[in-house]
Amino acid sequence: MNLELHDQLVAYNDALHERTCRAARNRPAAMEFFDRAFHASHAERVEEILEYRAKGGKSIGTFCIYVPDEIALAAGVLPIPLCGGSHWPVDYADKMFPRDICPLIRSTFGMVFSNTCPYRRLKDGVVGETTCDAKKKAWDLLGFEVMEVPQKKNEMDRALWHSEVRRFREYVEKLSGVTVTVSKLKETIALVNKRRRVLQQINAFRRLPDPPISGLDALLVSQIALNQDVQVFIAACEELISELESRVKQGISSYEWRGPRILLAGTPSPMGNVKVHYALESSGLQVVADESCTGMRYYRDLVDESPDDLDGMMAAIADRYFSIDCACFSPNTERVQNILKTVREYDIDGVAQSILAFCHTYNIEAKVIDKALASANVPSLKIVTDFSFEDLEQLKVRIESFGELIQSKKAQPA
């Protein structure tokens, strides 16, 4: 690894974290764990994975919430999320990839090509998926294992996905030499469900009129979820939940104002990317819900824990992941319904659709979402951007106008 460049990457990420997340006032004290975990993703967490592997454990790199953690863990394989969210390495990806692809791919492989990814040597395999064309072609170039995610949700697509999930089990069993058993899979299903439940509990606090946790901090918790050891993460979340309960009783909010309540919908914000959340909340709006793969798309649905046989559990896992409403599906009416439901449940004043540059599926689907929101009389704003902060002030001008529009609408007689 290029240590000099790696130090530059870590310094860039830490400085941005100080400027955004840690600069906010009145944060829960329990967020200190997640601040440390952000930095530790390039330090202590790497050492933990090294120790795991030194004891004979195996690990795989993943890029998407379609790869079933339950099965990997049951086979003794540690999944490591590799999606990059930092702007610092994106130029290094241009040595192999075109510039006009999404910043998530450029950031991820920029770290690989600049030799600054601490996980590059810490995996026995990499599992990609077919959720976008740029990813698919990148996996081909790099020779990764690929799970085929169907593009429709008919019965034949469901059957294909079930076969892909079974094939993934065979892959991790071969990699580790460990057979997935009924008892082990039941244990890991319960464990990963528990991780989703604590995220559900934390995000439920954001429904309150005065949320005890900000959108920026809720995002940080979700970003840490996939990188941290599951048990350690759950314990940290339980401590945070206890503090949030106490803050609610004392009437303590993370916000110093009651600005418009915003649902942030669209593409994910991998660790290192907080740009749109920061732009919204530093402009006087409150991000009280996230409809993305780093939001409720990850934790909303649980795996059915009732099956007691291996086939039943495998089917339950496949069905749960098949229910994810990624924009790669067409049509994607479930996503529209889920967004409208969230608008009602979280008392949303406006929806900001955050879309990574060159993500065509979410960008085009934004038209459908916008139309549905207009029918429900909910203002919406589409933000297409990358991980760079160069356009931050331009975004804030648009966001402030959006906030004024919402306030004006709320002031009108019902």
Side-chain angles (χ1 to χ4, degrees):
M1 190 163 76
N2 188 321
L3 295 179
E4 183 178 349
L5 287 180
H6 181 257
D7 286 347
Q8 291 180 24
L9 168 64
V10 172
Y12 175 93
N13 290 342
D14 284 350
L16 188 61
H17 187 67
E18 289 290 331
R19 174 185 167 188
T20 54
C21 296
R22 288 182 69 89
R25 297 179 181 177
N26 206 20
R27 304 174 72 207
M31 286 306 300
E32 182 63 28
F33 168 85
F34 302 94
D35 289 329
R36 289 199 310 270
F38 174 79
H39 179 80
S41 65
H42 280 255
E44 289 89 343
R45 182 58 180 150
V46 177
E47 292 176 11
E48 291 172 5
I49 297 171
L50 273 170
E51 291 175 9
Y52 177 79
R53 290 168 56 82
K55 295 175 183 174
K58 301 293 183 182
S59 57
I60 55 170
T62 65
F63 298 92
C64 183
I65 60 172
Y66 275 101
V67 178
D69 286 348
E70 297 89 345
I71 298 172
L73 292 170
V77 175
L78 189 66
I80 306 170
L82 297 179
C83 286
S86 173
H87 176 66
W88 184 89
V90 295
D91 289 342
Y92 290 93
D94 299 341
K95 295 176 181 177
M96 178 175 285
F97 297 136
R99 287 175 177 268
D100 49 353
I101 59 174
C102 92
L104 187 153
I105 296 175
R106 293 176 73 200
S107 175
T108 302
F109 290 102
M111 281 194 282
V112 175
F113 301 149
S114 61
N115 205 14
T116 57
C117 177
Y119 303 104
R120 186 176 182 183
R121 309 290 182 195
L122 294 183
K123 52 192 183 302
D124 300 282
V126 182
V127 180
E129 79 303 318
T130 57
T131 51
C132 84
D133 289 345
K135 279 185 172 182
K136 283 188 288 189
K137 293 305 171 186
W139 309 154
D140 284 350
L141 279 176
L142 300 166
F144 292 169
E145 183 74 18
V146 178
M147 294 184 75
E148 183 172 351
V149 178
Q151 309 294 286
K152 289 182 172 290
K153 290 197 172 178
N154 297 322
E155 195 51 42
M156 64 184 294
D157 304 302
R158 180 174 176 272
L160 168 63
W161 176 243
H162 276 238
S163 71
E164 284 295 279
V165 171
R166 291 193 295 270
R167 191 171 65 82
F168 175 71
R169 183 184 118 202
E170 294 169 0
Y171 169 77
V172 291
E173 285 180 333
K174 183 177 180 182
L175 196 67
S176 65
V178 175
T179 300
V180 173
T181 62
V182 169
S183 59
K184 192 62 183 174
L185 189 56
K186 200 166 188 64
E187 176 187 321
T188 57
I189 286 173
L191 180 65
V192 179
N193 270 351
K194 189 171 184 180
R195 178 166 67 183
R196 296 191 184 101
R197 285 194 180 96
V198 292
L199 286 167
Q200 289 174 353
Q201 287 179 265
I202 290 168
N203 283 278
F205 286 103
R206 300 168 75 191
R207 296 182 184 180
L208 298 173
D210 295 306
I213 183 170
S214 69
L216 265 172
D217 277 344
L219 172 64
L220 178 60
V221 172
S222 291
Q223 290 173 335
I224 298 300
L226 299 180
N227 177 268
Q228 265 291 332
D229 173 84
V230 183
Q231 298 279 15
V232 171
F233 175 79
I234 290 171
C237 285
E238 288 173 341
E239 184 177 337
L240 176 60
I241 290 166
S242 177
E243 184 179 356
L244 294 179
E245 289 171 344
S246 175
R247 284 164 70 92
V248 171
K249 290 177 182 173
Q250 298 176 61
I252 300 174
S253 172
S254 279
Y255 297 101
E256 298 175 5
W257 66 94
R258 267 197 177 181
R261 296 171 61 84
I262 301 300
L263 164 63
L264 191 59
T267 48
S269 298
M271 195 187 298
N273 177 35
V274 296
K275 177 179 167 181
V276 178
H277 285 73
Y278 176 73
L280 287 160
E281 299 210 317
S282 62
S283 299
L285 286 71
Q286 299 179 357
V287 180
V288 298
D290 292 275
E291 187 271 336
S292 72
C293 298
T294 42
M296 59 182 64
R297 196 170 296 131
Y298 171 72
Y299 61 75
R300 179 172 50 216
D301 299 319
L302 305 177
V303 174
D304 181 3
E305 297 184 37
S306 63
D308 291 320
D309 62 292
L310 197 58
D311 288 344
M313 285 188 274
M314 288 293 295
I317 291 171
D319 282 339
R320 183 267 164 197
Y321 283 81
F322 196 55
S323 71
I324 297 172
D325 56 358
C326 175
C328 69
F329 285 98
S330 179
N332 197 18
T333 51
E334 288 170 293
R335 182 166 177 242
V336 178
Q337 294 163 1
N338 284 330
I339 286 175
L340 293 175
K341 182 181 177 188
T342 304
V343 166
R344 294 190 295 271
E345 291 179 344
Y346 284 75
D347 193 22
I348 296 296
D349 296 317
V351 175
Q353 295 200 62
S354 175
I355 297 162
L356 290 175
F358 305 109
C359 183
H360 304 314
T361 52
Y362 278 94
N363 201 351
I364 294 173
E365 193 162 276
K367 291 282 187 186
V368 180
I369 304 297
D370 194 47
K371 184 178 179 181
L373 291 170
S375 298
N377 199 27
V378 179
S380 65
L381 172 70
K382 186 172 83 170
I383 298 172
V384 180
T385 189
D386 56 18
F387 296 158
S388 157
F389 268 55
E390 291 178 357
D391 60 347
L392 179 66
E393 293 307 318
Q394 294 174 351
L395 288 182
K396 291 186 70 169
V397 169
R398 292 183 61 211
I399 289 168
E400 286 167 7
S401 297
F402 182 55
E404 291 171 2
L405 171 70
I406 293 173
Q407 297 286 24
S408 172
K409 181 173 176 295
K410 292 179 71 173
Q412 293 175 2

